[in-house]
Amino acid sequence: MSGHPGREERLTWLAVGALTALALILRLDHFLGPLNGDEISTAYIVDGNSLGGVLSDLSSDAEISPPLYFLAAWAATKLGSAPELIRLPSLIAGVASIPLVFLVGRKAVSAAAGLIAAAVMTLTPFMIFYSGDGRTYAVVIALLLGSTLALLHAASVKAARSYRYE
């Protein structure tokens, strides 16, 4: 065995890459649009605030969502002055969810199942919307997929070890 991925695996990863690129394209329209709804609350908390100010607002009754997204949005606003930058963590997480869901599907069932899951995640209107929304939803999904992948990996390692010792 040469150690190089086979043709089928290369094609699978090419498909995942194409789906990820398509996901980015589909999410950019909402990402570049004007802020609306709950995003205005996010902008209020992070715009012009220091890190301490963001943490202070989050520890008050101003917001009940977990702080991770607001900290990431605050850091993203340091890249420039565009208000849409508060959406950058969602965009990154939403696009990263495509290969993550592929990996979860491949580990749990098969590469074909992973590709189907990645295609569904790429084209689902809710994922397109929330991946360009300045709130925590896409980040939570990416973290959930990452933790699921870690759990599946840990379970397979434990199963392999217990098999060896029996």
Side-chain angles (χ1 to χ4, degrees):
M1 189 174 280
S2 66
H4 296 291
R7 175 177 159 77
E8 187 175 321
E9 186 171 343
R10 284 194 307 270
L11 289 174
T12 300
W13 280 108
L14 184 63
V16 172
L19 287 169
T20 304
L22 177 60
L24 176 62
I25 292 165
L26 291 173
R27 285 148 176 78
L28 280 178
D29 182 50
H30 182 61
F31 176 79
L32 297 172
L35 298 182
N36 57 57
D38 286 347
E39 293 177 310
I40 295 169
S41 172
T42 304
Y44 173 79
I45 290 171
V46 301
D47 277 352
N49 248 338
S50 66
L51 180 58
V54 170
L55 291 172
S56 176
D57 281 353
L58 294 175
S59 65
S60 71
D61 290 338
E63 182 60 55
I64 60 170
S65 297
L68 177 64
Y69 187 83
F70 295 95
L71 298 176
W74 176 82
T77 62
K78 302 307 170 205
L79 298 173
S81 61
E84 297 82 21
L85 285 172
I86 67 166
R87 295 176 174 153
L88 189 58
S90 287
L91 181 66
I92 292 168
V95 172
S97 292
I98 307 309
L100 283 171
V101 79
F102 165 73
L103 291 169
V104 168
R106 182 179 75 171
K107 187 84 168 166
V109 183
S110 68
L115 275 176
I116 292 168
V120 169
M121 184 76 80
T122 298
L123 300 172
T124 297
F126 283 114
M127 276 305 297
I128 292 170
F129 176 81
Y130 286 123
S131 296
D133 193 50
R135 297 299 281 181
T136 192
Y137 308 111
V139 173
V140 168
I141 290 169
L143 291 172
L144 174 67
L145 288 166
S147 65
T148 302
L149 186 60
L151 178 67
L152 289 170
H153 177 72
S156 67
V157 167
K158 182 171 175 29
R161 284 185 182 157
S162 67
Y163 178 75
R164 275 191 302 199
Y165 294 125
E166 289 180 358

